[in-house]
Amino acid sequence: MSDWKYLQRDPTEALARLHFFSVKKKHSAGEIEVRITVREFATPEIATMQFYATADVELNQKTASFQPCGWSATLSGALSECLNNPRRFEYQGPEEVSVR
């Protein structure tokens, strides 16, 4: 166990170390950068869910918009779960407005 985890005095503080990742997502109008933040909790609420990953973009905006995320007991597991959604769903960015 890393020593930073001992700095949390109360589990309700939800102390977490952040890990940052980036991946490119191709879509119909080009590509976007998807930034993923993985939180490593000092004392997770559920022991097997120590890592939580979230992406900074929403996908499938025109049908049922959602933000990719993933939980796991390992950093690579949470990152992998979060990456599955950008691979499966389209990024449907804002529609371009035509100027006349």
Side-chain angles (χ1 to χ4, degrees), residues 20-39:
F20 299 101
F21 300 89
S22 172
V23 66
K24 290 183 181 178
K25 166 73 174 163
K26 293 184 181 189
H27 63 96
S28 59
E31 67 182 27
I32 61 163
E33 178 184 15
V34 178
R35 289 180 299 273
I36 298 172
T37 302
V38 181
R39 288 168 177 79

Side-chain angles (χ1 to χ4, degrees), residues 8-24:
Q8 177 176 273
R9 291 186 180 170
D10 182 347
T12 61
E13 292 177 335
L15 179 65
R17 177 171 30 187
L18 303 180
H19 305 269
F20 299 101
F21 300 89
S22 172
V23 66
K24 290 183 181 178

